[in-house]
Every structure is written in C-alpha cells, then in structure tokens.
Amino acid sequence: MNEDRPLTRLDMLRFARRVVEHQAARQLALMDRWIADEERREAAGRERRPTARQAAAQWAVERGLNGRSAVYVHAGACSAAGGRAKDVDREQAVRALTEEGVPACPLCRPDTALGILE
C-alpha cells in the first residue's frame, strides 16, 4: 500500500477480514487436534474393553482383610463377593469347602451348586 495516502474504510475492512480469517483457521486447527485426540482415546478404549470383559469365573474365594485367610467361597456371579475375591476353578472351590473348611456364602450357596451339602 501507498504510505502517503490514509487507510480507507475499505482497507480497514479487508484487514479485519484477514485477521478474522487467520484466527478462524487457528481455532479450526485447534479443534481438529482435539477431535483427533478424542478419537484416539475412544479407539484405545475400544481396544481395551474386550480384555476387560472376560468371562466371569464360575467360582471365587473371598479373602479376609489380611489377604491370606479365606472368608467365603462364592459362585462367580455373586454380588457379595466384593473386591477381595479371587477367581478359582471348580476343583479349588470344592477343596476350599471340603478340606480347608471355608464356609459357603449364605447368599449364593456355592455348596449347593457344587453338589456339596453339609
């Protein structure tokens, strides 16, 4: 532009348009990065989900607060099992009930399901 002449209203409007266009492009690029990040997070979550949804074990032994002593034997889907329950196979559940004297959960009654009645 010629520095001798003052800026016209049209010059200022064109300059304002370029500024807005530049800002909009930056904001769109930022939003595109956010979208890409979120798509990656969702894809990673979908990849992890199948491993987290493994089939529930049929039997579980609930440990006490000390982590060593067994408190109850549960059927695998028992809601009372809690976070200290460890999945076990049928043999281990039967052994815990018969040989180790671990009581059966009074809610899910795994002893009945296993065919072990006192």
Side-chain angles (χ1 to χ4, degrees):
M1 291 203 148
N2 188 354
E3 294 179 19
D4 295 337
R5 74 176 177 104
L7 291 175
T8 65
R9 183 170 167 79
L10 185 59
D11 292 334
M12 288 187 273
L13 286 171
R14 286 183 178 145
F15 176 75
R17 185 187 187 288
R18 284 194 311 270
V19 169
V20 169
E21 186 178 28
H22 178 72
Q23 289 175 339
R26 287 180 47 198
Q27 290 299 318
L28 285 172
L30 179 63
M31 291 190 84
D32 287 342
R33 281 196 305 268
W34 290 344
I35 289 169
D37 289 345
E38 190 60 29
E39 286 172 341
R40 278 192 294 276
R41 264 193 291 280
E42 284 185 6
R46 281 191 301 269
E47 290 172 5
R48 280 192 298 265
R49 253 181 248 133
T51 58
R53 275 196 239 154
Q54 294 173 349
Q58 287 189 310
W59 316 105
V61 174
E62 181 180 354
R63 300 287 172 187
L65 292 175
N66 65 6
R68 286 181 233 126
S69 61
V71 178
Y72 284 119
V73 175
H74 295 276
C78 180
S79 60
R84 293 188 314 268
K86 180 183 177 233
D87 295 341
V88 295
D89 61 21
R90 185 183 191 334
E91 283 181 29
Q92 291 170 313
V94 169
R95 189 177 323 113
L97 288 168
T98 57
E99 297 172 16
E100 298 170 17
V102 179
C105 171
L107 183 65
C108 63
R109 301 303 303 177
D111 52 349
T112 304
L114 288 167
I116 302 168
L117 300 173
E118 296 174 5

